Coordinates of all heavy atoms in Angstrom, one line a residue:
M1 N 26.6 -29.1 8.6 CA 26.3 -28.6 7.3 C 27.2 -27.3 7.2 O 27.2 -26.4 8.1 CB 24.9 -28.3 7.2 CG 24.5 -27.9 5.8 SD 22.7 -28.1 5.6 CE 22.2 -26.4 5.5
H2 N 27.9 -27.2 6.1 CA 28.7 -26.0 5.9 C 28.0 -24.9 5.1 O 27.2 -25.2 4.2 CB 30.0 -26.4 5.1 CG 30.8 -27.5 5.8 ND1 31.5 -27.1 6.9 CD2 31.0 -28.8 5.6 CE1 32.1 -28.2 7.4 NE2 31.8 -29.2 6.6
A3 N 28.3 -23.7 5.5 CA 27.7 -22.6 4.8 C 28.4 -22.3 3.5 O 29.6 -22.3 3.4 CB 27.7 -21.3 5.7
T4 N 27.6 -22.1 2.4 CA 28.2 -21.9 1.1 C 28.4 -20.4 1.0 O 27.8 -19.6 1.7 CB 27.3 -22.4 0.0 OG1 26.1 -21.6 0.0 CG2 27.0 -23.9 0.2
P5 N 29.2 -19.9 0.0 CA 29.3 -18.5 -0.2 C 28.0 -17.8 -0.6 O 27.8 -16.7 -0.2 CB 30.3 -18.4 -1.4 CG 31.1 -19.7 -1.4 CD 30.1 -20.7 -0.8
L6 N 27.1 -18.6 -1.2 CA 25.8 -18.0 -1.5 C 25.0 -17.8 -0.3 O 24.3 -16.7 -0.2 CB 25.1 -18.9 -2.5 CG 23.7 -18.4 -3.1 CD1 24.0 -17.1 -3.8 CD2 23.1 -19.4 -4.0
D7 N 25.1 -18.7 0.7 CA 24.4 -18.5 2.0 C 24.9 -17.3 2.7 O 24.1 -16.5 3.3 CB 24.5 -19.7 2.8 CG 23.8 -20.9 2.3 OD1 22.8 -20.7 1.6 OD2 24.2 -22.1 2.6
A8 N 26.2 -17.1 2.7 CA 26.8 -16.0 3.3 C 26.4 -14.7 2.7 O 26.1 -13.7 3.3 CB 28.3 -16.1 3.3
F9 N 26.3 -14.7 1.3 CA 25.8 -13.5 0.6 C 24.4 -13.2 1.0 O 24.1 -12.0 1.2 CB 25.9 -13.8 -0.9 CG 25.3 -12.7 -1.7 CD1 25.8 -11.5 -1.9 CD2 24.0 -13.0 -2.3 CE1 25.2 -10.5 -2.7 CE2 23.4 -12.0 -3.1 CZ 24.0 -10.8 -3.2
H10 N 23.5 -14.2 1.0 CA 22.1 -14.0 1.4 C 22.0 -13.4 2.8 O 21.2 -12.5 3.0 CB 21.3 -15.3 1.3 CG 21.0 -15.7 -0.1 ND1 21.0 -17.0 -0.5 CD2 20.8 -15.0 -1.3 CE1 20.7 -17.0 -1.8 NE2 20.6 -15.8 -2.3
Q11 N 22.8 -13.9 3.7 CA 22.8 -13.4 5.1 C 23.2 -11.9 5.1 O 22.6 -11.1 5.8 CB 23.7 -14.2 6.0 CG 23.5 -13.9 7.4 CD 24.3 -14.8 8.3 OE1 25.2 -15.6 7.8 NE2 24.0 -14.8 9.6
R12 N 24.3 -11.6 4.4 CA 24.8 -10.2 4.4 C 23.7 -9.3 3.7 O 23.5 -8.2 4.2 CB 26.1 -10.1 3.7 CG 27.3 -10.5 4.6 CD 28.6 -10.1 4.0 NE 28.8 -10.7 2.6 CZ 29.4 -11.8 2.3 NH1 29.8 -12.6 3.3 NH2 29.5 -12.2 1.1
F13 N 23.2 -9.8 2.6 CA 22.2 -9.0 1.9 C 21.0 -8.7 2.8 O 20.4 -7.6 2.8 CB 21.8 -9.7 0.6 CG 20.9 -8.9 -0.3 CD1 21.4 -8.0 -1.2 CD2 19.5 -9.1 -0.2 CE1 20.6 -7.3 -2.0 CE2 18.7 -8.4 -1.1 CZ 19.2 -7.5 -1.9
W14 N 20.5 -9.7 3.5 CA 19.4 -9.6 4.4 C 19.7 -8.6 5.5 O 18.8 -7.7 5.8 CB 19.0 -10.9 5.0 CG 17.7 -10.9 5.8 CD1 16.4 -11.0 5.3 CD2 17.6 -10.7 7.2 NE1 15.6 -10.9 6.3 CE2 16.2 -10.8 7.5 CE3 18.5 -10.6 8.2 CZ2 15.8 -10.6 8.8 CZ3 18.1 -10.5 9.5 CH2 16.7 -10.5 9.8
C15 N 20.8 -8.6 6.0 CA 21.2 -7.7 7.1 C 21.3 -6.2 6.6 O 20.8 -5.3 7.2 CB 22.6 -8.0 7.7 SG 22.5 -9.5 8.7
V16 N 21.8 -6.1 5.4 CA 21.9 -4.7 4.8 C 20.5 -4.2 4.5 O 20.1 -3.1 4.7 CB 22.7 -4.7 3.5 CG1 22.6 -3.4 2.7 CG2 24.2 -4.9 3.9
A17 N 19.6 -5.1 4.0 CA 18.2 -4.7 3.7 C 17.5 -4.3 5.0 O 16.7 -3.3 5.0 CB 17.5 -5.9 3.0
V18 N 17.7 -5.0 6.1 CA 17.0 -4.6 7.3 C 17.5 -3.3 7.8 O 16.7 -2.4 8.2 CB 17.3 -5.7 8.4 CG1 16.9 -5.2 9.8 CG2 16.5 -7.0 8.1
V19 N 18.8 -3.0 7.7 CA 19.4 -1.8 8.2 C 18.8 -0.6 7.3 O 18.4 0.4 7.8 CB 20.9 -1.8 8.1 CG1 21.5 -0.4 8.3 CG2 21.5 -2.7 9.2
V20 N 18.8 -0.8 6.0 CA 18.3 0.2 5.1 C 16.8 0.5 5.4 O 16.4 1.7 5.4 CB 18.5 -0.1 3.6 CG1 17.7 0.8 2.7 CG2 20.0 -0.1 3.3
N21 N 16.0 -0.5 5.6 CA 14.6 -0.4 6.0 C 14.4 0.4 7.3 O 13.6 1.2 7.4 CB 14.0 -1.8 6.0 CG 12.5 -1.7 5.9 OD1 11.9 -0.6 5.8 ND2 11.8 -2.9 6.0
V22 N 15.2 0.0 8.3 CA 15.1 0.7 9.6 C 15.5 2.2 9.4 O 14.8 3.1 9.9 CB 15.9 0.0 10.6 CG1 16.1 0.9 11.9 CG2 15.4 -1.3 11.0
I23 N 16.5 2.5 8.7 CA 16.9 3.9 8.5 C 15.9 4.7 7.7 O 15.5 5.8 8.1 CB 18.3 4.0 7.7 CG1 19.4 3.5 8.7 CG2 18.6 5.4 7.2 CD1 20.7 3.3 8.0
T24 N 15.3 4.0 6.7 CA 14.2 4.7 5.9 C 13.0 4.9 6.8 O 12.4 6.0 6.7 CB 13.8 3.8 4.7 OG1 15.0 3.6 3.9 CG2 12.8 4.4 3.9
A25 N 12.6 4.0 7.6 CA 11.5 4.2 8.5 C 11.7 5.3 9.5 O 10.9 6.1 9.8 CB 11.1 2.9 9.2
W26 N 12.9 5.3 10.0 CA 13.3 6.3 11.0 C 13.2 7.8 10.5 O 12.7 8.7 11.1 CB 14.7 6.1 11.6 CG 15.0 7.0 12.7 CD1 15.8 8.1 12.6 CD2 14.7 6.9 14.1 NE1 15.9 8.7 13.8 CE2 15.2 8.0 14.8 CE3 13.9 6.0 14.8 CZ2 15.0 8.2 16.1 CZ3 13.8 6.1 16.1 CH2 14.3 7.2 16.8
F27 N 13.7 7.9 9.3 CA 13.8 9.3 8.7 C 12.6 9.6 7.8 O 12.6 10.7 7.2 CB 15.1 9.5 7.9 CG 16.3 9.5 8.8 CD1 17.1 8.5 8.9 CD2 16.5 10.6 9.6 CE1 18.2 8.5 9.8 CE2 17.6 10.7 10.5 CZ 18.5 9.6 10.5
S28 N 11.6 8.7 7.7 CA 10.5 9.0 6.8 C 9.6 10.1 7.4 O 9.4 10.2 8.6 CB 9.6 7.7 6.8 OG 8.5 7.9 6.0
S29 N 9.1 10.9 6.5 CA 8.3 12.1 6.9 C 6.8 11.8 6.9 O 6.1 12.7 7.2 CB 8.7 13.3 6.1 OG 8.3 13.0 4.7
G30 N 6.4 10.6 6.6 CA 5.0 10.3 6.6 C 4.4 10.4 5.2 O 5.0 9.9 4.2
Y31 N 3.3 11.0 5.1 CA 2.6 11.1 3.8 C 2.7 12.5 3.2 O 3.1 13.5 3.9 CB 1.1 10.7 4.0 CG 0.4 11.5 5.1 CD1 -0.3 12.7 4.8 CD2 0.4 11.1 6.4 CE1 -0.9 13.4 5.8 CE2 -0.3 11.8 7.4 CZ -0.9 12.9 7.1 OH -1.6 13.6 8.0
Y32 N 2.4 12.6 1.9 CA 2.6 13.9 1.2 C 1.4 14.8 1.3 O 1.5 16.0 1.4 CB 2.9 13.6 -0.2 CG 4.2 12.9 -0.4 CD1 4.3 11.6 -0.8 CD2 5.4 13.6 -0.2 CE1 5.5 11.0 -1.0 CE2 6.6 13.0 -0.3 CZ 6.7 11.7 -0.7 OH 7.9 11.0 -0.9
A33 N 0.2 14.3 1.2 CA -1.0 15.1 1.3 C -2.0 14.6 2.2 O -2.1 13.3 2.4 CB -1.6 15.2 -0.1
A34 N -2.9 15.4 2.8 CA -3.8 15.0 3.8 C -4.9 14.0 3.2 O -5.5 13.2 3.9 CB -4.5 16.2 4.4
D35 N -5.2 14.2 1.9 CA -6.2 13.4 1.3 C -5.8 12.1 0.6 O -6.6 11.4 0.1 CB -7.0 14.2 0.4 CG -6.2 14.7 -0.8 OD1 -5.0 14.6 -0.8 OD2 -6.9 15.1 -1.8
E36 N -4.5 11.8 0.7 CA -4.0 10.6 -0.1 C -4.6 9.3 0.5 O -4.8 8.4 -0.3 CB -2.5 10.6 -0.2 CG -1.8 10.2 1.1 CD -0.3 10.3 0.9 OE1 0.2 11.4 0.5 OE2 0.4 9.3 1.1
H37 N -4.8 9.2 1.8 CA -5.4 8.0 2.3 C -6.9 7.9 1.9 O -7.4 6.8 1.6 CB -5.3 8.0 3.9 CG -3.8 8.1 4.3 ND1 -3.3 9.2 4.8 CD2 -2.9 7.1 4.2 CE1 -2.0 9.0 5.1 NE2 -1.7 7.7 4.8
Y38 N -7.6 9.0 1.9 CA -9.0 9.0 1.5 C -9.1 8.5 0.1 O -10.0 7.7 -0.3 CB -9.6 10.4 1.6 CG -10.7 10.6 0.7 CD1 -12.0 10.0 1.0 CD2 -10.6 11.3 -0.4 CE1 -13.1 10.2 0.2 CE2 -11.7 11.5 -1.3 CZ -12.9 11.0 -1.0 OH -13.9 11.1 -1.8
Q39 N -8.2 9.0 -0.8 CA -8.3 8.6 -2.2 C -8.1 7.1 -2.5 O -8.7 6.6 -3.3 CB -7.3 9.5 -3.0 CG -7.8 10.9 -3.1 CD -6.8 11.8 -3.9 OE1 -5.8 11.3 -4.4 NE2 -7.2 13.0 -4.0
V40 N -7.2 6.5 -1.7 CA -7.0 5.1 -1.9 C -8.3 4.3 -1.5 O -8.8 3.5 -2.2 CB -5.8 4.6 -1.0 CG1 -5.8 3.1 -0.9 CG2 -4.5 5.2 -1.5
I41 N -8.9 4.7 -0.4 CA -10.1 4.1 0.1 C -11.3 4.4 -0.9 O -12.1 3.5 -1.2 CB -10.5 4.5 1.5 CG1 -9.4 4.1 2.5 CG2 -11.8 3.8 1.9 CD1 -9.0 2.6 2.5
A42 N -11.3 5.6 -1.4 CA -12.4 6.0 -2.3 C -12.3 5.3 -3.6 O -13.4 4.8 -4.1 CB -12.4 7.5 -2.5
F43 N -11.2 5.1 -4.1 CA -11.0 4.4 -5.4 C -11.4 2.9 -5.2 O -12.0 2.3 -6.0 CB -9.6 4.5 -5.9 CG -9.2 5.8 -6.4 CD1 -8.0 6.1 -6.9 CD2 -10.2 6.9 -6.5 CE1 -7.6 7.3 -7.4 CE2 -9.8 8.1 -6.9 CZ -8.5 8.4 -7.4
A44 N -11.0 2.3 -4.0 CA -11.4 1.0 -3.7 C -13.0 0.9 -3.5 O -13.6 -0.1 -4.0 CB -10.7 0.5 -2.4
Q45 N -13.6 1.9 -2.9 CA -15.0 1.9 -2.8 C -15.7 2.0 -4.1 O -16.8 1.3 -4.3 CB -15.5 3.0 -1.9 CG -15.2 2.8 -0.4 CD -15.7 4.0 0.4 OE1 -15.3 5.2 0.1 NE2 -16.5 3.7 1.4
H46 N -15.1 2.7 -5.0 CA -15.7 2.8 -6.4 C -15.6 1.4 -7.0 O -16.6 0.9 -7.7 CB -14.9 3.8 -7.2 CG -15.3 3.8 -8.7 ND1 -16.6 4.2 -9.1 CD2 -14.7 3.4 -9.8 CE1 -16.7 4.1 -10.4 NE2 -15.5 3.7 -10.8
K47 N -14.5 0.7 -6.9 CA -14.4 -0.7 -7.4 C -15.4 -1.6 -6.8 O -15.9 -2.5 -7.4 CB -12.9 -1.1 -7.2 CG -12.7 -2.5 -7.8 CD -12.6 -2.4 -9.3 CE -12.1 -3.8 -9.9 NZ -12.3 -3.9 -11.3
L48 N -15.7 -1.4 -5.5 CA -16.7 -2.2 -4.8 C -18.1 -1.9 -5.1 O -19.0 -2.6 -4.7 CB -16.4 -2.1 -3.3 CG -15.2 -2.8 -2.7 CD1 -14.9 -2.3 -1.3 CD2 -15.3 -4.3 -2.8
G49 N -18.3 -0.8 -5.9 CA -19.6 -0.4 -6.2 C -20.3 0.5 -5.2 O -21.5 0.7 -5.3
E50 N -19.6 1.1 -4.3 CA -20.1 1.9 -3.2 C -20.1 3.4 -3.6 O -20.8 4.2 -2.9 CB -19.4 1.7 -1.9 CG -19.5 0.2 -1.5 CD -18.7 -0.1 -0.2 OE1 -18.0 0.8 0.2 OE2 -18.7 -1.2 0.2
L51 N -19.3 3.8 -4.5 CA -19.2 5.2 -4.9 C -19.3 5.3 -6.4 O -18.7 4.5 -7.1 CB -17.8 5.8 -4.5 CG -17.6 6.3 -3.0 CD1 -16.2 6.8 -2.8 CD2 -18.6 7.3 -2.6
S52 N -19.9 6.4 -6.8 CA -20.0 6.6 -8.3 C -18.8 7.3 -8.7 O -18.1 8.0 -7.9 CB -21.3 7.3 -8.7 OG -21.2 8.6 -8.1
A53 N -18.5 7.3 -10.0 CA -17.3 8.0 -10.6 C -17.5 9.5 -10.4 O -16.4 10.2 -10.2 CB -17.2 7.7 -12.0
E54 N -18.7 10.0 -10.3 CA -18.9 11.5 -10.1 C -18.4 11.9 -8.7 O -18.1 13.1 -8.5 CB -20.3 11.9 -10.3 CG -20.8 11.7 -11.7 CD -21.2 10.3 -12.1 OE1 -21.6 9.5 -11.2 OE2 -21.0 9.9 -13.3
E55 N -18.5 11.0 -7.7 CA -18.1 11.4 -6.4 C -16.6 11.3 -6.1 O -16.1 11.7 -5.0 CB -18.8 10.4 -5.4 CG -20.3 10.6 -5.4 CD -21.0 9.6 -4.5 OE1 -21.2 8.4 -4.9 OE2 -21.2 9.9 -3.4
L56 N -15.8 10.8 -7.1 CA -14.4 10.6 -6.9 C -13.7 11.9 -7.2 O -14.2 12.8 -7.9 CB -13.9 9.5 -7.8 CG -14.4 8.1 -7.5 CD1 -13.9 7.1 -8.5 CD2 -13.9 7.7 -6.1
P57 N -12.4 12.1 -6.7 CA -11.6 13.3 -7.0 C -11.2 13.3 -8.4 O -11.3 12.4 -9.2 CB -10.4 13.1 -6.1 CG -10.5 11.8 -5.5 CD -11.8 11.2 -5.8
W58 N -10.8 14.5 -8.8 CA -10.4 14.7 -10.2 C -9.3 13.8 -10.7 O -9.2 13.5 -11.9 CB -10.0 16.2 -10.5 CG -8.7 16.6 -9.7 CD1 -8.6 17.1 -8.5 CD2 -7.4 16.5 -10.3 NE1 -7.3 17.3 -8.2 CE2 -6.5 16.9 -9.3 CE3 -6.9 16.1 -11.5 CZ2 -5.2 17.0 -9.4 CZ3 -5.5 16.1 -11.6 CH2 -4.7 16.6 -10.6
E59 N -8.5 13.3 -9.8 CA -7.4 12.4 -10.2 C -7.9 11.1 -10.9 O -7.2 10.5 -11.7 CB -6.5 12.0 -9.0 CG -5.6 13.1 -8.5 CD -6.3 13.9 -7.4 OE1 -7.5 13.8 -7.2 OE2 -5.5 14.6 -6.7
Y60 N -9.2 10.7 -10.5 CA -9.7 9.5 -11.2 C -9.9 9.7 -12.6 O -9.6 8.9 -13.5 CB -11.0 9.1 -10.5 CG -11.7 7.9 -11.1 CD1 -11.2 6.6 -10.8 CD2 -12.8 8.0 -11.9 CE1 -11.8 5.5 -11.3 CE2 -13.4 6.9 -12.5 CZ -12.8 5.7 -12.2 OH -13.4 4.5 -12.7
E61 N -10.6 10.8 -13.0 CA -10.8 11.1 -14.4 C -9.5 11.4 -15.2 O -9.4 11.0 -16.3 CB -11.7 12.3 -14.5 CG -12.1 12.7 -15.9 CD -13.0 11.6 -16.6 OE1 -13.8 11.0 -15.9 OE2 -12.9 11.5 -17.8
A62 N -8.5 12.0 -14.5 CA -7.3 12.3 -15.1 C -6.4 11.1 -15.3 O -5.4 11.1 -16.0 CB -6.5 13.4 -14.4
R63 N -6.7 10.0 -14.5 CA -6.0 8.8 -14.5 C -4.5 9.0 -14.2 O -3.6 8.4 -14.9 CB -6.1 8.0 -15.9 CG -7.5 7.7 -16.1 CD -7.7 7.0 -17.4 NE -9.1 6.7 -17.7 CZ -9.6 5.7 -18.4 NH1 -8.7 4.9 -18.9 NH2 -10.8 5.6 -18.5
I64 N -4.2 9.7 -13.2 CA -2.8 10.0 -12.8 C -2.3 9.2 -11.6 O -1.2 9.2 -11.3 CB -2.6 11.5 -12.5 CG1 -3.4 12.0 -11.3 CG2 -2.9 12.3 -13.7 CD1 -3.1 13.4 -10.9
R65 N -3.2 8.5 -11.0 CA -2.9 7.7 -9.8 C -2.7 6.2 -10.2 O -3.5 5.7 -11.0 CB -3.9 7.9 -8.7 CG -3.8 9.2 -8.1 CD -4.3 9.2 -6.7 NE -4.2 10.5 -6.1 CZ -3.3 10.8 -5.2 NH1 -2.4 10.0 -4.8 NH2 -3.2 12.0 -4.7
S66 N -1.8 5.5 -9.5 CA -1.6 4.1 -9.7 C -2.8 3.4 -9.1 O -3.4 3.8 -8.1 CB -0.4 3.7 -9.0 OG -0.3 2.3 -8.9
A67 N -3.1 2.2 -9.7 CA -4.2 1.4 -9.2 C -3.7 0.3 -8.2 O -4.5 -0.5 -7.7 CB -4.9 0.7 -10.3
F68 N -2.4 0.4 -7.9 CA -1.8 -0.7 -7.0 C -2.4 -0.6 -5.6 O -2.9 -1.6 -5.1 CB -0.3 -0.5 -7.0 CG 0.4 -1.5 -6.2 CD1 0.5 -2.8 -6.6 CD2 1.0 -1.2 -5.0 CE1 1.1 -3.8 -5.9 CE2 1.6 -2.2 -4.2 CZ 1.7 -3.5 -4.7
L69 N -2.3 0.5 -4.9 CA -2.8 0.6 -3.5 C -4.3 0.4 -3.5 O -4.8 -0.3 -2.6 CB -2.4 1.9 -2.9 CG -0.9 2.0 -2.4 CD1 -0.6 3.3 -1.9 CD2 -0.6 0.9 -1.4
P70 N -5.1 1.1 -4.3 CA -6.5 0.8 -4.3 C -6.9 -0.7 -4.6 O -7.8 -1.2 -4.0 CB -7.1 1.7 -5.4 CG -6.2 2.8 -5.5 CD -4.8 2.2 -5.2
G71 N -6.1 -1.3 -5.4 CA -6.3 -2.7 -5.6 C -6.0 -3.6 -4.4 O -6.8 -4.5 -4.1
I72 N -5.0 -3.2 -3.6 CA -4.7 -3.9 -2.4 C -5.9 -3.6 -1.4 O -6.4 -4.6 -0.7 CB -3.4 -3.5 -1.8 CG1 -2.2 -4.0 -2.7 CG2 -3.2 -4.0 -0.4 CD1 -0.9 -3.5 -2.3
A73 N -6.3 -2.4 -1.3 CA -7.4 -2.0 -0.4 C -8.7 -2.8 -0.8 O -9.4 -3.3 0.0 CB -7.7 -0.5 -0.4
Y74 N -8.9 -2.9 -2.1 CA -10.1 -3.6 -2.6 C -10.0 -5.1 -2.2 O -11.0 -5.6 -1.7 CB -10.2 -3.5 -4.1 CG -11.2 -4.4 -4.8 CD1 -12.5 -4.1 -4.8 CD2 -10.8 -5.6 -5.4 CE1 -13.4 -4.9 -5.4 CE2 -11.7 -6.4 -6.1 CZ -13.0 -6.1 -6.0 OH -13.9 -6.9 -6.6
A75 N -8.9 -5.7 -2.3 CA -8.7 -7.1 -1.9 C -8.9 -7.3 -0.4 O -9.6 -8.2 0.0 CB -7.4 -7.6 -2.4
V76 N -8.3 -6.4 0.4 CA -8.4 -6.5 1.8 C -9.8 -6.3 2.3 O -10.3 -7.0 3.2 CB -7.4 -5.6 2.5 CG1 -7.6 -5.5 4.0 CG2 -6.0 -6.0 2.2
I77 N -10.5 -5.3 1.8 CA -11.8 -5.0 2.2 C -12.7 -6.1 1.8 O -13.6 -6.6 2.5 CB -12.3 -3.7 1.6 CG1 -11.6 -2.5 2.2 CG2 -13.8 -3.5 1.8 CD1 -11.8 -1.2 1.5
G78 N -12.6 -6.6 0.6 CA -13.4 -7.8 0.1 C -13.2 -9.0 0.9 O -14.2 -9.7 1.3
A79 N -11.9 -9.3 1.2 CA -11.6 -10.5 2.1 C -12.2 -10.3 3.5 O -12.7 -11.3 4.1 CB -10.1 -10.8 2.1
S80 N -12.0 -9.1 4.0 CA -12.5 -8.9 5.4 C -14.0 -9.0 5.5 O -14.6 -9.6 6.4 CB -12.1 -7.5 5.8 OG -10.7 -7.4 5.9
R81 N -14.7 -8.5 4.5 CA -16.2 -8.6 4.4 C -16.6 -10.0 4.3 O -17.6 -10.4 4.8 CB -16.7 -7.7 3.4 CG -16.6 -6.3 3.7 CD -17.2 -5.4 2.6 NE -17.1 -4.0 3.0 CZ -17.4 -3.0 2.2 NH1 -17.7 -3.2 1.0 NH2 -17.3 -1.8 2.7
A82 N -15.9 -10.8 3.5 CA -16.3 -12.2 3.3 C -16.0 -13.0 4.5 O -16.8 -13.9 4.8 CB -15.5 -12.8 2.1
L83 N -14.9 -12.7 5.2 CA -14.6 -13.6 6.4 C -15.1 -13.1 7.7 O -15.4 -13.9 8.6 CB -13.0 -13.6 6.5 CG -12.3 -14.3 5.3 CD1 -10.8 -14.2 5.5 CD2 -12.7 -15.8 5.2
L84 N -15.2 -11.7 7.9 CA -15.6 -11.2 9.2 C -16.9 -10.5 9.2 O -17.9 -11.1 9.5 CB -14.5 -10.2 9.6 CG -13.1 -10.8 9.7 CD1 -12.1 -9.7 9.9 CD2 -13.0 -11.8 10.8
T85 N -17.0 -9.3 8.7 CA -18.2 -8.5 8.8 C -18.1 -7.4 7.8 O -17.0 -7.0 7.3 CB -18.4 -7.9 10.2 OG1 -19.6 -7.2 10.3 CG2 -17.2 -7.1 10.7
S86 N -19.2 -6.7 7.5 CA -19.2 -5.6 6.6 C -19.0 -4.3 7.4 O -18.8 -3.3 6.7 CB -20.5 -5.5 5.9 OG -21.6 -5.3 6.8
N87 N -19.0 -4.3 8.7 CA -18.7 -3.1 9.5 C -17.2 -3.0 9.7 O -16.7 -3.8 10.4 CB -19.5 -3.2 10.8 CG -19.4 -1.9 11.6 OD1 -18.6 -1.0 11.3 ND2 -20.1 -1.9 12.7
P88 N -16.6 -1.9 9.2 CA -15.1 -1.8 9.4 C -14.8 -1.4 10.9 O -13.6 -1.5 11.2 CB -14.8 -0.7 8.5 CG -16.0 0.1 8.3 CD -17.1 -0.8 8.4
F89 N -15.7 -1.1 11.7 CA -15.4 -0.7 13.0 C -15.7 -1.8 14.0 O -15.6 -1.7 15.2 CB -16.1 0.6 13.4 CG -15.8 1.7 12.5 CD1 -16.6 2.1 11.5 CD2 -14.5 2.4 12.5 CE1 -16.3 3.1 10.6 CE2 -14.2 3.4 11.7 CZ -15.1 3.8 10.7

């Protein structure tokens, strides 16, 4: 089977993507604020019905944070509880 030019392009593109990802991971400085992990979990807990809106940080009322990461956390927590246990530890 002969490699097509498109296959060669995909292989080069994949290699460049891996190199860029490794460089980004190597030079990454981590997170921006100490509470950003808490806020993702807290927003997911609110969606799960475990926290009231009054207990959430001011960013919730201001609606300045994306729902993407809390949505992923909500799905992972929900799936984990359905398949495994309700105890995260």
Side-chain angles (χ1 to χ4, degrees):
M1 190 161 110
H2 298 290
T4 66
L6 187 58
D7 291 336
F9 169 76
H10 285 146
Q11 188 175 15
R12 283 193 302 272
F13 187 82
W14 187 83
C15 289
V16 169
V18 167
V19 169
V20 168
N21 197 3
V22 167
I23 290 171
T24 301
W26 184 264
F27 291 106
S28 177
S29 62
Y31 54 91
Y32 293 109
D35 65 345
E36 72 183 59
H37 300 107
Y38 156 76
Q39 289 180 359
V40 170
I41 301 299
F43 291 177
Q45 285 180 309
H46 174 66
K47 183 74 173 166
L48 290 165
E50 298 174 359
L51 280 177
S52 66
E54 293 81 29
E55 296 177 276
L56 293 175
W58 66 271
E59 288 92 346
Y60 179 76
E61 183 66 33
R63 298 180 183 209
I64 63 170
R65 291 209 177 249
S66 170
F68 183 71
L69 283 178
I72 291 174
Y74 170 77
V76 169
I77 291 169
S80 295
R81 288 181 179 169
L83 298 173
L84 303 171
T85 179
S86 62
N87 185 353
F89 302 104

